[in-house]
Amino acid sequence: MEKVKELLQLDKEAEETVSRLTIHPHRVGYERSFYNDFGLRGIHVDKVEPGFVSCTFKVPPRLTDKNGNLATGAIANIVDEVGGSAVFVIGVPMKVSVDMSISFLGTAKLGDELEITSKALGERGGYAGTLVHIRNKATGELIAEGRHSLYGNESSKLLFGNQSSKL
């Protein structure tokens, strides 16, 4: 338990750095959150077609681990966000992730330019599946492959008060 506690605690320098961050509140549904801005800032969308999204991304220092590699959590966030964008439909509430499986096949270093593609595999009812590939753009090396399942029901309505939600 102590080892876990030690791993999760920030050292004094990191604690001071985090305490200096200015995080402004955002208007939900209108502005990006700190989380989205931190994890996705710098992604450049190159191509969008129905069921397909292609992006490029240069690995920034903020998303690297202690070895200078793109952190696995950042990869999971990319699979989640770019995977979901391949099945996004304007005017319909965003589907939510119900399952992700990620194979970490290589490493991306600070400054590497990545090519990220997401392809819709299909939809059945409210369920959709996507396949996300993250490659080193210069070498073609596959860094990660993510399989992403999402669910959304257009007719669902969240009701408040004594009523329950219908899914």
Side-chain angles (χ1 to χ4, degrees), residues 5-165:
K5 192 175 183 180
E6 181 182 313
L7 181 69
L8 293 174
Q9 283 186 315
L10 297 176
D11 62 24
K12 199 72 167 162
E13 182 182 339
E15 194 173 300
E16 288 174 13
T17 300
V18 170
S19 71
R20 288 191 303 266
L21 289 174
T22 303
I23 303 169
H24 301 287
H26 73 285
R27 294 180 306 152
V28 176
Y30 295 98
E31 299 169 338
R32 294 169 58 110
S33 68
F34 172 79
Y35 173 80
N36 282 337
D37 193 43
F38 186 83
L40 300 175
R41 186 174 7 120
I43 287 184
H44 182 267
V45 179
D46 299 315
K47 185 176 189 178
V48 177
E49 295 176 354
F52 180 80
V53 176
S54 178
C55 307
T56 50
F57 183 63
K58 189 173 180 181
V59 177
R62 71 180 183 281
L63 298 180
T64 58
D65 62 18
K66 65 181 179 181
N67 298 315
N69 297 322
L70 180 61
T72 55
I75 291 172
N77 185 56
I78 290 168
V79 169
D80 186 27
E81 296 293 336
V82 179
S85 69
V87 293
F88 176 72
V89 176
I90 294 173
V92 175
M94 190 80 169
K95 292 181 182 291
V96 296
S97 301
V98 292
D99 184 53
M100 284 195 306
S101 175
I102 303 169
S103 298
F104 299 95
L105 304 165
T107 56
K109 294 283 188 191
L110 174 63
D112 284 353
E113 188 170 12
L114 306 177
E115 176 182 59
I116 306 159
T117 57
S118 177
K119 182 173 106 174
L121 297 174
E123 291 192 46
R124 179 174 233 158
Y127 287 95
T130 64
L131 179 64
V132 179
H133 284 134
I134 302 173
R135 294 185 182 278
N136 182 307
K137 195 168 182 177
T139 67
E141 176 190 10
L142 188 58
I143 305 302
E145 177 182 83
R147 289 152 308 282
H148 188 199
S149 300
L150 304 104
Y151 179 78
N153 186 348
E154 291 179 44
S155 63
S156 292
K157 291 187 170 78
L158 185 59
L159 303 173
F160 298 96
N162 293 330
Q163 301 175 24
S164 61
S165 65

